[in-house]
Amino acid sequence: MPDSCESCEVRKTAICCSLDSAGLAALGRLGRKMRLSAGQTLVWEGDESVVVGNVLSGMLKLSTVTGDGREQIVGIVYPSDFIGRPFGKDSHHSVTALTDASLCVFGRGTFDRFAREHEAVGHALLERTLTELDRARHWMLLLGRKSACERVASLILEMAERMGGGRDLVLPLSRQQMADVLGLTIETVSRSLTKLKQSGIISLPGPRLLSIAHPEKLERIAAG
């Protein structure tokens, strides 16, 4: 790869963190860096899953098309997350960049062979899968039990945490995309954001800018 894996920005949190120097060098020889522009799709739903990889920077969405032709966002992918379907043939969702993004990608077949030969990677994949399962269960609870404002607060907190833990965010999601993720209408999302703003918990200095003034209050709302 053009850059050393040892100096990779997600080295300590991606699935390759479990590899020793020799294993990391071997994996590095199999991969390549790829850049995506916002809106560019890496994998289409139903196509063969030919690549897998780590997200180095930026954010992507996982989406599927419903029976009536509407897009449904089923997941958000952040830096250090793993994308693609190892040991599987077809992709169950499309993978599209929400922002400009960079990735470290591998041919699926090549990566599958590497994972079989390196137990640490297989173990890391299992851990990552279980984490994603826990995350999915959390969102099932959120969508099934929480109010609209609680859902919006939960999403803001998740984005803040996964994007570095700061209070000032450049939102990667439009109001409509937030609504799609949360199972709400765009009007309901806008009303919830306005309510949080009027309460002084957040400010909205621009269309895609959000600042958390009182994170502890936002956490209480998200917790219900």
Side-chain angles (χ1 to χ4, degrees), residues 11 25 27 59 64-65 77 86 116-117 145 196 204 216:
R11 167 76 176 98
L27 181 62
M59 294 176 62
T64 187
V65 177
V77 183
R116 290 189 182 98
E117 295 167 0
R145 297 292 182 183
L196 293 171
L204 299 167
E216 69 287 347

Side-chain angles (χ1 to χ4, degrees), residues 152-163:
V152 171
S154 297
L155 181 59
I156 292 171
L157 287 171
E158 179 184 274
M159 289 190 291
E161 177 186 359
R162 297 300 305 277
M163 294 168 67

Side-chain angles (χ1 to χ4, degrees), residues 48-70:
E48 183 178 358
S49 181
V50 295
V51 296
V52 298
N54 293 316
V55 179
L56 304 179
S57 65
M59 294 176 62
L60 301 93
K61 65 179 178 180
L62 310 179
S63 64
T64 187
V65 177
T66 62
D68 58 2
R70 291 178 296 134

Side-chain angles (χ1 to χ4, degrees), residues 31 85 89 98 103 105 189:
R85 189 174 176 83
K89 183 180 178 182
L98 286 168
L103 303 90
V105 298
V189 168

Side-chain angles (χ1 to χ4, degrees), residues 1 8 25 35 40-41 49 100 140 150 158 166 208-210:
M1 297 182 68
C8 173
R35 296 190 180 278
Q40 186 176 353
T41 297
S49 181
D100 290 347
M140 287 173 64
E150 289 166 357
E158 179 184 274
R208 287 290 187 100
L209 301 177
L210 184 147

Side-chain angles (χ1 to χ4, degrees), residues 69-224:
R70 291 178 296 134
E71 180 193 53
Q72 176 64 52
I73 298 175
V74 296
I76 305 297
V77 183
Y78 299 87
S80 84
D81 282 348
F82 189 80
I83 59 170
R85 189 174 176 83
F87 310 110
K89 183 180 178 182
D90 298 331
S91 176
H92 292 178
H93 45 249
S94 297
V95 181
T96 304
L98 286 168
T99 66
D100 290 347
S102 62
L103 303 90
C104 176
V105 298
F106 309 88
R108 180 180 56 79
T110 300
F111 182 86
D112 289 354
R113 288 190 293 273
F114 183 90
R116 290 189 182 98
E117 295 167 0
H118 293 77
E119 183 179 346
V121 172
H123 182 72
L125 282 171
L126 176 59
E127 284 189 329
R128 195 60 63 102
T129 301
L130 293 174
T131 298
E132 289 299 321
L133 179 59
D134 288 341
R135 202 173 283 165
R137 287 170 173 164
H138 168 75
W139 279 100
M140 287 173 64
L141 173 64
L142 182 148
L143 295 176
R145 297 292 182 183
K146 292 191 175 185
S147 69
C149 199
E150 289 166 357
R151 296 184 199 185
V152 171
S154 297
L155 181 59
I156 292 171
L157 287 171
E158 179 184 274
M159 289 190 291
E161 177 186 359
R162 297 300 305 277
M163 294 168 67
R167 295 190 179 193
D168 298 322
L169 308 178
V170 179
L171 294 174
L173 301 175
S174 66
R175 301 291 193 271
Q176 183 61 62
Q177 288 171 326
M178 292 175 69
D180 291 342
V181 170
L182 296 172
L184 301 170
T185 65
I186 186 173
E187 293 82 8
T188 301
V189 168
S190 294
R191 283 197 297 270
S192 298
L193 289 171
T194 298
K195 181 178 179 181
L196 293 171
K197 177 182 176 182
Q198 291 174 341
S199 300
I201 296 172
I202 66 170
S203 61
L204 299 167
R208 287 290 187 100
L209 301 177
L210 184 147
S211 181
I212 303 173
H214 297 284
E216 69 287 347
K217 294 182 180 179
L218 195 63
E219 289 168 2
R220 285 199 293 270
I221 291 173

